[in-house]
Amino acid sequence: MSEQQCMLEGCPKRAYAPSGTGQLCKDHFSGFVKWRRRKGSMSMFRKYNAMTMEERDSIVQDWGKTLAAG
């Protein structure tokens, strides 16, 4: 586990897994994976795995907008 904090503003939890160039805590990472799964099933996972970290940032930003709206 990393000593960094979650990349989402206001989240005090420690980083758990990479998400683009940032890191998410375990709870947010779980929510991100569920969101990706709903968005495009296994094809989204294959596409995401083939992306560079910078390309993944745009996906994470899209997901982050759903948190702000909700």
Side-chain angles (χ1 to χ4, degrees):
M1 214 191 248
S2 174
E3 292 301 319
Q4 295 178 346
Q5 285 187 303
C6 182
M7 67 184 266
L8 295 180
E9 191 173 328
C11 183
K13 296 179 183 174
R14 289 182 9 176
Y16 171 75
S19 181
T21 54
Q23 293 200 6
L24 296 172
C25 67
K26 192 171 188 174
D27 293 336
H28 285 125
F29 182 73
S30 175
F32 179 60
V33 171
K34 288 176 188 173
W35 176 81
R36 274 191 341 212
R37 204 174 274 153
R38 275 182 285 176
K39 188 170 177 167
S41 189
M42 287 306 290
S43 62
M44 180 61 178
F45 277 97
R46 287 187 197 104
K47 178 182 174 184
Y48 189 81
N49 288 337
M51 293 176 156
T52 65
M53 289 303 227
E54 289 76 19
E55 291 171 326
R56 291 178 181 192
D57 284 344
S58 64
I59 303 293
V60 175
Q61 288 172 352
D62 288 345
W63 169 72
K65 290 175 188 172
T66 67
L67 294 179

